[in-house]
Amino acid sequence: MSVPEHLFYTKEHEWVELKEDCAIIGITDYAQSQLGDVIFVEFPEIGSNVNCGTSFGEVEAVKTVSDLFAPLSGKVLSINDEIDNAPDLVNSDPYEKGWLIKISPSKSEEKKDLMNANEYKDFIS
């Protein structure tokens, strides 16, 4: 299971990469392996707001449908359009080409609730 050190993680198995004014969000390698082959992702509208801990979309796999939960609150800046044509990117490259959304975080204090890589590794083991 790949758990990149530079990312942050949630108990719902989303990852977050924090940039200067943007947070990139996706699902973890662990999550995609549990879901199986991803066939569809439902995204929020660009410009909409997501709230920490609430659902911002769904990922549909051969085995199941699962909600996607926002690790941080903020405004949706962009979605990964490539996923529409190639949802398998979530499985094959969850941390790079398989990212889901980018948001502009609105509550910096929420970052303290995210797990670092070591904490996430302990959580999934």
Side-chain angles (χ1 to χ4, degrees):
M1 249 358 98
S2 176
V3 181
E5 294 290 325
H6 70 287
L7 302 177
F8 292 92
Y9 301 89
T10 70
K11 291 181 179 176
E12 289 78 26
H13 308 289
E14 277 83 22
W15 58 262
V16 182
E17 182 176 3
L18 299 171
K19 301 277 188 176
E20 283 183 31
D21 56 352
C22 159
I24 304 167
I25 299 167
I27 66 169
T28 65
D29 191 23
Y30 176 84
Q32 70 79 21
S33 72
Q34 297 299 302
L35 287 168
D37 293 336
V38 173
I39 56 175
F40 178 75
V41 177
E42 178 186 306
F43 292 105
E45 293 285 325
I46 294 173
S48 66
N49 289 307
V50 296
N51 293 308
C52 184
T54 63
S55 175
F56 69 84
E58 292 180 340
V59 60
E60 184 178 338
V62 173
K63 294 181 188 178
T64 188
V65 174
S66 184
D67 282 326
L68 296 165
F69 294 97
L72 301 169
S73 299
K75 184 176 184 176
V76 178
L77 301 173
S78 63
I79 60 171
N80 187 347
D81 290 328
E82 289 186 37
I83 298 293
D84 283 338
N85 297 323
D88 60 309
L89 289 173
V90 175
N91 296 110
S92 63
D93 197 4
Y95 299 114
E96 294 294 331
K97 293 181 182 174
W99 64 273
L100 299 175
I101 65 172
K102 294 181 182 180
I103 68 167
S104 174
S106 59
K107 298 179 181 176
S108 60
E109 67 273 11
E110 292 172 345
K111 295 174 190 170
K112 70 177 175 31
D113 295 326
L114 300 172
M115 291 182 272
N116 66 33
N118 287 332
E119 292 166 329
Y120 184 69
K121 286 176 192 173
D122 290 342
F123 178 71
I124 61 174
S125 62

